[in-house]
């Protein structure tokens, strides 16, 4: 079944601005914001609690099972720090948000992250772990990396993704369908 709305993954190391971007984009595009962190809690997709990192370990198979029907319909902005578990056929665009170490440190410190978790996330950003996972899991034309250091960059990123959504809707309009898909 062809989708009439795209699915976008908004991904990156924790603290890069995924949720902020996803919320603004959901408002401006009419796509639904799907926060994986919320889904994991609400639909019990946890395997266990990691005491050292102060976080839940996600049961990825269960997560995919509980969101599959929604994503197959389309129209979602998926907000999570991982992207490579989602089947290619479900995803139209992967936005990898990036920031510099100083910004990331300040953002994670303000969240009260334990030192080990803070350091792991800084290392992940420096080593481009999420970007590499995205490039390995999806076709090159499907992955875009955007900087998220300032409010101005976020505004530019939102405009860029809004334009992409508009183009997707135009390119995927049914033959004979006219007008705006918005």
């Amino acid at each position: 079944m062809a989708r009439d709305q795209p699915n976008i993954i908004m991904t990156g190391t924790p603290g890069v601005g995924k949720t902020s971007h996803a919320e603004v984009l959901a408002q401006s595009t009419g796509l639904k914001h799907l926060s994986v962190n919320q889904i994991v809690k609400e639909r019990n997709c946890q395997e266990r609690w990691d005491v050292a990192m102060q976080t839940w370990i996600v049961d990825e198979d269960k997560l995919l099972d509980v969101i599959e029907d929604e994503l197959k319909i389309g129209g979602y902005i998926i907000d999570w720090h991982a992207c490579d578990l989602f089947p290619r056929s479900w995803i139209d665009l992967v936005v990898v948000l990036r920031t510099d170490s100083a910004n990331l440190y300040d953002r994670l410190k303000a969240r009260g992250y334990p030192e080990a978790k803070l350091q792991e996330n800084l290392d992940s950003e420096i080593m481009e772990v999420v970007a590499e996972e995205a490039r390995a899991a999806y076709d090159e034309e499907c992955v875009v990396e955007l900087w998220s250091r300032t409010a101005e960059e976020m505004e530019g990123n939102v405009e860029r993704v809004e334009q992409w959504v508009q183009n997707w809707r135009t390119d995927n309009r049914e033959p004979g369908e006219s007008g705006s898909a918005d």
Side-chain angles (χ1 to χ4, degrees):
M1 175 174 86
R3 289 182 272 109
D4 64 355
Q5 295 293 323
N7 285 324
I8 299 169
I9 299 177
M10 192 66 55
T11 192
T13 306
V16 296
K18 298 177 297 295
T19 300
S20 298
H21 278 77
E23 288 173 349
V24 171
L25 282 163
Q27 189 95 20
S28 66
T29 63
L31 299 176
K32 295 175 214 79
H33 177 201
L34 192 148
S35 167
V36 171
N37 287 336
Q38 267 187 295
I39 297 293
V40 166
K41 291 173 193 163
E42 292 171 1
R43 301 189 194 175
N44 299 313
C45 299
Q46 312 95 334
E47 277 183 16
R48 63 182 167 79
W49 179 254
D50 183 322
V51 176
M53 292 297 182
Q54 295 293 294
T55 191
W56 286 104
I57 303 301
V58 174
D59 180 336
E60 292 179 355
D61 291 330
K62 184 173 183 183
L63 171 66
L64 292 176
D65 286 345
V66 302
I67 63 175
E68 179 176 7
D69 291 341
E70 293 159 282
L71 292 182
K72 283 187 172 180
I73 293 169
Y76 287 90
I77 300 169
I78 304 158
D79 164 7
W80 205 32
H81 64 270
C83 62
D84 55 347
L85 69 150
F86 300 100
R88 287 182 189 192
S89 62
W90 295 4
I91 305 302
D92 301 292
L93 179 67
V94 179
V95 178
V96 180
L97 295 173
R98 306 288 314 277
T99 195
D100 58 70
S101 299
N103 265 329
L104 187 59
Y105 180 86
D106 291 345
R107 293 172 186 177
L108 298 180
K109 195 74 170 165
R111 291 181 181 184
Y113 273 36
E115 191 60 37
K117 186 174 181 179
L118 195 150
Q119 195 57 56
E120 180 183 69
N121 284 300
L122 282 170
D123 291 347
S124 177
E125 183 64 15
I126 291 165
M127 300 302 292
E128 300 184 13
V129 171
V130 178
E132 284 298 320
E133 288 173 353
R135 289 190 289 261
Y138 299 95
D139 297 334
E140 183 179 339
E141 64 273 4
C142 181
V143 178
V144 62
E145 291 181 51
L146 301 174
W147 284 97
S148 175
R149 296 167 291 207
T150 65
E152 292 78 17
E153 285 179 337
M154 181 179 159
E155 188 177 307
N157 295 343
V158 166
E159 289 172 3
R160 185 171 173 181
V161 176
E162 287 170 343
Q163 185 61 57
W164 181 91
V165 170
Q166 180 101 8
N167 292 342
W168 189 96
R169 288 172 172 160
T170 299
D171 293 346
N172 291 278
R173 187 176 295 139
E174 289 293 318
E177 190 179 336
S178 63
S180 173
D182 296 327

